[in-house]
Amino acid sequence: MGGCFSKPKPVEVKVELSLLDKEKEVDGLSPNGKASPFAECRPNGALAHGSDDDSTLLPLYHKPRDYVEASVCHVKDLENGQMREVDLGSGRALLIKEHGEFTAMGHKCPHYGAPLVKGVLSKGHVRCPWHGACFNIATGDIEDFPGLDSLPIFQVRVEKDKVIIRANKQALQSQKRSKPMARCSAVINSNTGFSHVLIIGSGPAGLVCAETLRQEGFTDRIVMCTMDKHPPYDRPKLSKSLESTAEQLRLRSMDFLQDHDIELLTEKEVVAIDVKTQSVIFEDGLRMEYRKLFIATGSRPKPMNYKGKDVRNVFHLRTPEDANSIARLANNKNAVIVGTSFVGMEVAAALTDKAHSVSVIGIESVPFKKALGEKVGKAIMKVETCFFPLLQLKEVVLKSGKVLRADVCVIGAGSVPATGFLKQSGIHLDSKGFITVNKNMQTNVDGVFAGGDVVMFPFPPRNNKKVNIPHWQMAHVHGKVAALSMMGRATEIKTVPYFWSAMFGKTIRYAGYGDGFDDVIIQGDLDELRFVAFYTRSEEVVSVTSMNYDPIVSRVAEVLGSGKTIKKRDVE
């Protein structure tokens, strides 16, 4: 498949759920007359946001200077299962009514700032409409990922049928908080070649593992090492926002890590692990012993054979510096993207406003066909395509003889697990190089855990079949499960895989595990890029994807996460 991108026509977006219109909210029945699996989790489309007129500020002369108090609505304004975003003068809060009780907390998801009022409220938590993170409505704690922070909660009381919220002004402004963490109680020289917990990799799996250990009261030494030269950053944004700096993408600062006694060693490559002596050997000769080891090295670009590997204008997108160089070199120039992976296509879309031309080359006639199906793949791209088999790089010379001018070339042809350093370690790898782990993220070696893109792990919804799910969100979950296992608090994976991609100002959302789907049920309008697609195996919905159909993907994730099944007939 190959082609040059043209910018799609703007699409008027109206957020509504035609699927939900068919459901009878009153009796919770699906069209076949049986109880709908969606009945207990409700999107919050019924109520408008609270306006400034809804908030009557009370006198604050007797209140502490850093707090604000406001009457935000009448007690009957909200029904059970409804949410409203309300203004307190110094900021906004999310007011929730469930089982007759009012609660209030931050109104923005700490991950990317999504308005939670448009999310899904169910059984004591709110699920983000954009990427599926969940927050407990009583505590504000994050219960499912992505994201690192929790939400602030605010005091609510009812006086004379008025709902009154009292909130800290700073919390209203920040809209997020970190869970309390323990400090390291051991007196350790930073040059000491021993760490109670050693984490290889500073992506979401490694970072969540370290933070969970501290949140759960772990007081011994934690060292996290990475080949990167930056503190942990938001890698998925690299392909979507090519001009963002490492500082802008940062997840945690060095000060934050130091304040919580999480030591970070940057530009450190591990070359070997000796499980008998429980030690890790680095490329620079440093040797560090461990008591518990967590491997979260992620993936590396899939090797390709072509001429011109070492030229300066050919990139594998791995770092903020790579992204910045691609954006700079492509400005008003000719860009060629090799490969139709999500990363490759996101880069292509990001360059359409910058480059003179953007050409994409791949071996599939339709991008994303395996993951999303042919109809959805064609709808997302909305470009004229033709087939180009493989390539060799000069300018860019295809085997067909066609020559594409290339001032910058980005290789986005997939990835493989970064586990080459483990081949002689005794840690079990499968035939493709993935680390195999059990339900607690432990490898075949006692005290050695792994998570993120590098693992094959038992997935409960598929009868614990071992799968690899290289999602940013799933890596967070692996890190938490591994940390709890290290502390003797073994817990199993309880999440619904959630993935997103952004192109041409449109966002694709995906939840579930659709590998091996045999049918796709599409509702909405593919041509207008406003649709939801349900992927089924036999008679059961296993995953869902959408564009401009929020919060349907989060709603399906909520149903699947509760352990219920959605039958094909429920969505037909």
Side-chain angles (χ1 to χ4, degrees), residues 393-438:
L393 184 68
K394 185 179 177 183
E395 286 177 296
V396 168
V397 183
L398 307 183
K399 282 189 175 180
S400 65
K402 184 175 180 66
V403 177
L404 300 175
R405 293 186 59 187
D407 298 297
V408 60
C409 181
V410 182
I411 310 294
S415 60
V416 294
T419 55
F421 67 100
L422 296 175
K423 288 184 178 177
Q424 307 300 322
S425 67
I427 297 170
H428 184 263
L429 305 177
D430 71 4
S431 60
K432 295 182 179 179
F434 292 102
I435 305 169
T436 56
V437 296
N438 64 16

Tab-separated table of all heavy atoms in Angstrom, residues 393-438:
chain	number	residue	atom	x	y	z
A	393	LEU	N	16.307	1.847	0.079
A	393	LEU	CA	16.400	3.282	0.246
A	393	LEU	C	17.573	3.875	-0.509
A	393	LEU	O	18.703	3.442	-0.371
A	393	LEU	CB	16.512	3.617	1.737
A	393	LEU	CG	16.522	5.099	2.079
A	393	LEU	CD1	15.186	5.715	1.780
A	393	LEU	CD2	16.872	5.295	3.543
A	394	LYS	N	17.286	4.870	-1.319
A	394	LYS	CA	18.333	5.696	-1.919
A	394	LYS	C	17.831	7.116	-1.795
A	394	LYS	O	18.199	7.838	-0.882
A	394	LYS	CB	18.587	5.317	-3.379
A	394	LYS	CG	19.752	6.093	-3.983
A	394	LYS	CD	19.994	5.675	-5.420
A	394	LYS	CE	21.108	6.507	-6.024
A	394	LYS	NZ	21.317	6.178	-7.446
A	395	GLU	N	17.041	7.533	-2.774
A	395	GLU	CA	16.107	8.602	-2.425
A	395	GLU	C	15.069	7.801	-1.651
A	395	GLU	O	15.236	7.595	-0.474
A	395	GLU	CB	15.577	9.270	-3.698
A	395	GLU	CG	16.651	10.165	-4.346
A	395	GLU	CD	16.181	10.778	-5.646
A	395	GLU	OE1	15.930	9.969	-6.584
A	395	GLU	OE2	16.067	12.012	-5.720
A	396	VAL	N	14.037	7.329	-2.302
A	396	VAL	CA	13.418	6.072	-1.883
A	396	VAL	C	13.086	5.374	-3.181
A	396	VAL	O	12.294	5.871	-3.983
A	396	VAL	CB	12.154	6.290	-1.029
A	396	VAL	CG1	11.407	4.987	-0.869
A	396	VAL	CG2	12.532	6.820	0.341
A	397	VAL	N	13.733	4.248	-3.402
A	397	VAL	CA	13.562	3.497	-4.637
A	397	VAL	C	12.796	2.220	-4.331
A	397	VAL	O	13.247	1.398	-3.543
A	397	VAL	CB	14.926	3.147	-5.275
A	397	VAL	CG1	14.708	2.428	-6.592
A	397	VAL	CG2	15.757	4.401	-5.469
A	398	LEU	N	11.629	2.075	-4.948
A	398	LEU	CA	10.824	0.886	-4.733
A	398	LEU	C	11.236	-0.206	-5.706
A	398	LEU	O	11.827	0.058	-6.758
A	398	LEU	CB	9.342	1.218	-4.920
A	398	LEU	CG	8.823	2.401	-4.105
A	398	LEU	CD1	7.337	2.575	-4.333
A	398	LEU	CD2	9.121	2.217	-2.640
A	399	LYS	N	10.929	-1.425	-5.372
A	399	LYS	CA	11.252	-2.523	-6.276
A	399	LYS	C	10.533	-2.389	-7.608
A	399	LYS	O	10.956	-2.942	-8.618
A	399	LYS	CB	10.905	-3.864	-5.628
A	399	LYS	CG	11.939	-4.312	-4.603
A	399	LYS	CD	11.671	-5.735	-4.145
A	399	LYS	CE	12.782	-6.219	-3.224
A	399	LYS	NZ	12.541	-7.610	-2.772
A	400	SER	N	9.436	-1.666	-7.600
A	400	SER	CA	8.709	-1.445	-8.856
A	400	SER	C	9.474	-0.503	-9.788
A	400	SER	O	9.129	-0.360	-10.954
A	400	SER	CB	7.337	-0.838	-8.558
A	400	SER	OG	7.491	0.453	-7.983
A	401	GLY	N	10.526	0.130	-9.267
A	401	GLY	CA	11.274	1.092	-10.052
A	401	GLY	C	10.880	2.521	-9.776
A	401	GLY	O	11.565	3.460	-10.173
A	402	LYS	N	9.771	2.712	-9.064
A	402	LYS	CA	9.305	4.063	-8.758
A	402	LYS	C	10.272	4.726	-7.772
A	402	LYS	O	10.732	4.111	-6.814
A	402	LYS	CB	7.893	4.020	-8.174
A	402	LYS	CG	7.293	5.409	-7.917
A	402	LYS	CD	5.857	5.288	-7.453
A	402	LYS	CE	5.249	6.655	-7.184
A	402	LYS	NZ	5.111	7.460	-8.402
A	403	VAL	N	10.590	5.974	-8.019
A	403	VAL	CA	11.494	6.728	-7.160
A	403	VAL	C	10.712	7.855	-6.482
A	403	VAL	O	10.026	8.635	-7.137
A	403	VAL	CB	12.665	7.331	-7.971
A	403	VAL	CG1	13.556	8.171	-7.052
A	403	VAL	CG2	13.469	6.224	-8.630
A	404	LEU	N	10.818	7.919	-5.152
A	404	LEU	CA	10.167	8.977	-4.386
A	404	LEU	C	11.233	9.888	-3.805
A	404	LEU	O	12.179	9.413	-3.169
A	404	LEU	CB	9.332	8.382	-3.242
A	404	LEU	CG	8.209	7.419	-3.626
A	404	LEU	CD1	7.578	6.834	-2.363
A	404	LEU	CD2	7.163	8.111	-4.465
A	405	ARG	N	11.095	11.174	-4.028
A	405	ARG	CA	12.033	12.115	-3.424
A	405	ARG	C	11.861	12.102	-1.918
A	405	ARG	O	10.747	12.122	-1.404
A	405	ARG	CB	11.802	13.518	-3.981
A	405	ARG	CG	12.142	13.666	-5.445
A	405	ARG	CD	12.027	15.112	-5.867
A	405	ARG	NE	12.927	15.962	-5.071
A	405	ARG	CZ	12.929	17.301	-5.141
A	405	ARG	NH1	12.059	17.921	-5.932
A	405	ARG	NH2	13.769	18.016	-4.413
A	406	ALA	N	12.979	12.066	-1.212
A	406	ALA	CA	12.905	11.960	0.244
A	406	ALA	C	13.948	12.851	0.888
A	406	ALA	O	15.139	12.540	0.869
A	406	ALA	CB	13.093	10.515	0.676
A	407	ASP	N	13.501	13.954	1.464
A	407	ASP	CA	14.402	14.796	2.245
A	407	ASP	C	14.514	14.269	3.675
A	407	ASP	O	15.488	14.542	4.371
A	407	ASP	CB	13.887	16.234	2.265
A	407	ASP	CG	13.843	16.827	0.865
A	407	ASP	OD1	14.911	16.956	0.241
A	407	ASP	OD2	12.725	17.126	0.399
A	408	VAL	N	13.497	13.551	4.097
A	408	VAL	CA	13.523	12.879	5.391
A	408	VAL	C	12.724	11.594	5.266
A	408	VAL	O	11.693	11.553	4.587
A	408	VAL	CB	12.953	13.786	6.519
A	408	VAL	CG1	11.508	14.167	6.233
A	408	VAL	CG2	13.056	13.108	7.883
A	409	CYS	N	13.216	10.546	5.915
A	409	CYS	CA	12.543	9.242	5.864
A	409	CYS	C	12.373	8.716	7.275
A	409	CYS	O	13.317	8.746	8.081
A	409	CYS	CB	13.366	8.259	5.030
A	409	CYS	SG	12.603	6.626	4.866
A	410	VAL	N	11.176	8.265	7.586
A	410	VAL	CA	10.879	7.707	8.906
A	410	VAL	C	10.491	6.246	8.729
A	410	VAL	O	9.594	5.919	7.941
A	410	VAL	CB	9.725	8.471	9.598
A	410	VAL	CG1	9.473	7.896	10.985
A	410	VAL	CG2	10.044	9.955	9.680
A	411	ILE	N	11.166	5.376	9.464
A	411	ILE	CA	10.875	3.943	9.411
A	411	ILE	C	9.885	3.617	10.517
A	411	ILE	O	10.190	3.762	11.705
A	411	ILE	CB	12.147	3.089	9.590
A	411	ILE	CG1	13.259	3.554	8.648
A	411	ILE	CG2	11.822	1.623	9.385
A	411	ILE	CD1	12.969	3.343	7.196
A	412	GLY	N	8.701	3.211	10.138
A	412	GLY	CA	7.667	2.840	11.116
A	412	GLY	C	7.087	1.493	10.762
A	412	GLY	O	5.884	1.341	10.570
A	413	ALA	N	7.966	0.508	10.658
A	413	ALA	CA	7.565	-0.816	10.170
A	413	ALA	C	7.406	-1.837	11.289
A	413	ALA	O	7.602	-3.028	11.088
A	413	ALA	CB	8.593	-1.314	9.157
A	414	GLY	N	7.056	-1.367	12.480
A	414	GLY	CA	6.815	-2.301	13.570
A	414	GLY	C	7.997	-2.424	14.508
A	414	GLY	O	9.033	-1.769	14.343
A	415	SER	N	7.861	-3.271	15.500
A	415	SER	CA	8.879	-3.392	16.540
A	415	SER	C	8.992	-4.826	17.028
A	415	SER	O	8.140	-5.674	16.743
A	415	SER	CB	8.534	-2.472	17.721
A	415	SER	OG	7.273	-2.834	18.270
A	416	VAL	N	10.068	-5.075	17.760
A	416	VAL	CA	10.309	-6.374	18.384
A	416	VAL	C	10.698	-6.120	19.836
A	416	VAL	O	11.151	-5.025	20.182
A	416	VAL	CB	11.421	-7.154	17.651
A	416	VAL	CG1	10.973	-7.537	16.242
A	416	VAL	CG2	12.714	-6.352	17.594
A	417	PRO	N	10.530	-7.096	20.734
A	417	PRO	CA	10.870	-6.874	22.142
A	417	PRO	C	12.365	-6.638	22.338
A	417	PRO	O	13.201	-7.295	21.711
A	417	PRO	CB	10.407	-8.165	22.833
A	417	PRO	CG	10.344	-9.179	21.741
A	417	PRO	CD	9.961	-8.435	20.499
A	418	ALA	N	12.683	-5.704	23.211
A	418	ALA	CA	14.080	-5.372	23.503
A	418	ALA	C	14.606	-6.297	24.593
A	418	ALA	O	14.781	-5.900	25.752
A	418	ALA	CB	14.191	-3.911	23.917
A	419	THR	N	14.854	-7.528	24.221
A	419	THR	CA	15.269	-8.547	25.196
A	419	THR	C	16.540	-9.284	24.782
A	419	THR	O	16.838	-10.340	25.335
A	419	THR	CB	14.145	-9.583	25.394
A	419	THR	OG1	13.777	-10.131	24.101
A	419	THR	CG2	12.917	-8.958	26.036
A	420	GLY	N	17.282	-8.744	23.814
A	420	GLY	CA	18.487	-9.426	23.347
A	420	GLY	C	19.481	-9.717	24.456
A	420	GLY	O	20.181	-10.735	24.423
A	421	PHE	N	19.560	-8.856	25.459
A	421	PHE	CA	20.519	-9.015	26.553
A	421	PHE	C	20.161	-10.168	27.497
A	421	PHE	O	20.939	-10.506	28.398
A	421	PHE	CB	20.635	-7.706	27.343
A	421	PHE	CG	19.397	-7.325	28.099
A	421	PHE	CD1	19.277	-7.563	29.453
A	421	PHE	CD2	18.326	-6.704	27.447
A	421	PHE	CE1	18.141	-7.203	30.151
A	421	PHE	CE2	17.187	-6.330	28.133
A	421	PHE	CZ	17.088	-6.582	29.493
A	422	LEU	N	18.980	-10.778	27.303
A	422	LEU	CA	18.528	-11.849	28.203
A	422	LEU	C	18.791	-13.252	27.661
A	422	LEU	O	18.509	-14.242	28.349
A	422	LEU	CB	17.028	-11.701	28.466
A	422	LEU	CG	16.575	-10.431	29.196
A	422	LEU	CD1	15.055	-10.383	29.267
A	422	LEU	CD2	17.178	-10.357	30.592
A	423	LYS	N	19.327	-13.358	26.462
A	423	LYS	CA	19.390	-14.664	25.798
A	423	LYS	C	20.182	-15.712	26.574
A	423	LYS	O	19.879	-16.899	26.499
A	423	LYS	CB	19.953	-14.490	24.387
A	423	LYS	CG	18.965	-13.825	23.437
A	423	LYS	CD	19.484	-13.739	22.020
A	423	LYS	CE	18.436	-13.105	21.099
A	423	LYS	NZ	18.932	-12.948	19.705
A	424	GLN	N	21.194	-15.330	27.311
A	424	GLN	CA	22.000	-16.288	28.083
A	424	GLN	C	21.727	-16.196	29.584
A	424	GLN	O	22.509	-16.712	30.388
A	424	GLN	CB	23.494	-16.034	27.820
A	424	GLN	CG	23.899	-16.023	26.358
A	424	GLN	CD	23.601	-17.331	25.660
A	424	GLN	OE1	23.751	-18.418	26.247
A	424	GLN	NE2	23.170	-17.260	24.395
A	425	SER	N	20.615	-15.569	29.951
A	425	SER	CA	20.380	-15.277	31.370
A	425	SER	C	19.690	-16.390	32.136
A	425	SER	O	19.747	-16.433	33.365
A	425	SER	CB	19.526	-14.008	31.498
A	425	SER	OG	18.218	-14.250	30.989
A	426	GLY	N	19.010	-17.285	31.421
A	426	GLY	CA	18.181	-18.285	32.100
A	426	GLY	C	16.745	-17.841	32.276
A	426	GLY	O	15.886	-18.627	32.687
A	427	ILE	N	16.464	-16.576	31.971
A	427	ILE	CA	15.081	-16.077	31.986
A	427	ILE	C	14.418	-16.518	30.689
A	427	ILE	O	14.946	-16.289	29.606
A	427	ILE	CB	15.061	-14.542	32.119
A	427	ILE	CG1	15.674	-14.132	33.465
A	427	ILE	CG2	13.633	-14.010	31.999
A	427	ILE	CD1	15.918	-12.637	33.602
A	428	HIS	N	13.274	-17.159	30.804
A	428	HIS	CA	12.662	-17.789	29.632
A	428	HIS	C	12.105	-16.760	28.647
A	428	HIS	O	11.374	-15.844	29.025
A	428	HIS	CB	11.535	-18.731	30.055
A	428	HIS	CG	10.937	-19.469	28.902
A	428	HIS	ND1	9.787	-19.061	28.259
A	428	HIS	CD2	11.353	-20.590	28.238
A	428	HIS	CE1	9.512	-19.896	27.271
A	428	HIS	NE2	10.438	-20.829	27.236
A	429	LEU	N	12.486	-16.943	27.378
A	429	LEU	CA	11.949	-16.155	26.275
A	429	LEU	C	11.248	-17.093	25.308
A	429	LEU	O	11.676	-18.239	25.122
A	429	LEU	CB	13.068	-15.421	25.529
A	429	LEU	CG	13.998	-14.509	26.331
A	429	LEU	CD1	15.081	-13.945	25.426
A	429	LEU	CD2	13.223	-13.374	26.985
A	430	ASP	N	10.170	-16.616	24.681
A	430	ASP	CA	9.522	-17.455	23.680
A	430	ASP	C	10.241	-17.299	22.338
A	430	ASP	O	11.275	-16.616	22.235
A	430	ASP	CB	8.020	-17.149	23.568
A	430	ASP	CG	7.711	-15.807	22.914
A	430	ASP	OD1	8.647	-15.115	22.459
A	430	ASP	OD2	6.529	-15.443	22.842
A	431	SER	N	9.706	-17.925	21.313
A	431	SER	CA	10.390	-17.951	20.015
A	431	SER	C	10.539	-16.579	19.378
A	431	SER	O	11.400	-16.376	18.524
A	431	SER	CB	9.644	-18.886	19.050
A	431	SER	OG	8.309	-18.432	18.850
A	432	LYS	N	9.707	-15.615	19.795
A	432	LYS	CA	9.784	-14.267	19.233
A	432	LYS	C	10.560	-13.301	20.111
A	432	LYS	O	10.679	-12.117	19.794
A	432	LYS	CB	8.372	-13.726	18.993
A	432	LYS	CG	7.590	-14.491	17.930
A	432	LYS	CD	6.224	-13.868	17.701
A	432	LYS	CE	5.448	-14.616	16.620
A	432	LYS	NZ	4.099	-14.026	16.411
A	433	GLY	N	11.083	-13.806	21.232
A	433	GLY	CA	11.870	-12.963	22.113
A	433	GLY	C	11.111	-12.316	23.245
A	433	GLY	O	11.672	-11.509	23.994
A	434	PHE	N	9.827	-12.654	23.408
A	434	PHE	CA	9.048	-12.111	24.517
A	434	PHE	C	9.337	-12.881	25.804
A	434	PHE	O	9.547	-14.098	25.775
A	434	PHE	CB	7.551	-12.180	24.218
A	434	PHE	CG	7.095	-11.264	23.116
A	434	PHE	CD1	6.835	-11.759	21.849
A	434	PHE	CD2	6.946	-9.909	23.342
A	434	PHE	CE1	6.415	-10.921	20.827
A	434	PHE	CE2	6.528	-9.058	22.326
A	434	PHE	CZ	6.273	-9.561	21.064
A	435	ILE	N	9.315	-12.169	26.923
A	435	ILE	CA	9.476	-12.806	28.233
A	435	ILE	C	8.136	-13.383	28.655
A	435	ILE	O	7.118	-12.688	28.613
A	435	ILE	CB	9.941	-11.775	29.284
A	435	ILE	CG1	11.215	-11.063	28.835
A	435	ILE	CG2	10.151	-12.453	30.630
A	435	ILE	CD1	11.579	-9.862	29.706
A	436	THR	N	8.112	-14.635	29.064
A	436	THR	CA	6.856	-15.238	29.521
A	436	THR	C	6.745	-15.057	31.034
A	436	THR	O	7.699	-15.308	31.782
A	436	THR	CB	6.787	-16.726	29.160
A	436	THR	OG1	7.934	-17.401	29.695
A	436	THR	CG2	6.773	-16.908	27.653
A	437	VAL	N	5.586	-14.600	31.488
A	437	VAL	CA	5.350	-14.371	32.912
A	437	VAL	C	4.051	-15.036	33.335
A	437	VAL	O	3.221	-15.397	32.494
A	437	VAL	CB	5.288	-12.861	33.231
A	437	VAL	CG1	6.617	-12.191	32.950
A	437	VAL	CG2	4.163	-12.174	32.447
A	438	ASN	N	3.872	-15.176	34.654
A	438	ASN	CA	2.612	-15.710	35.169
A	438	ASN	C	1.659	-14.560	35.479
A	438	ASN	O	1.930	-13.406	35.161
A	438	ASN	CB	2.861	-16.601	36.393
A	438	ASN	CG	3.448	-15.834	37.584
A	438	ASN	OD1	3.416	-14.595	37.638
A	438	ASN	ND2	3.995	-16.552	38.544
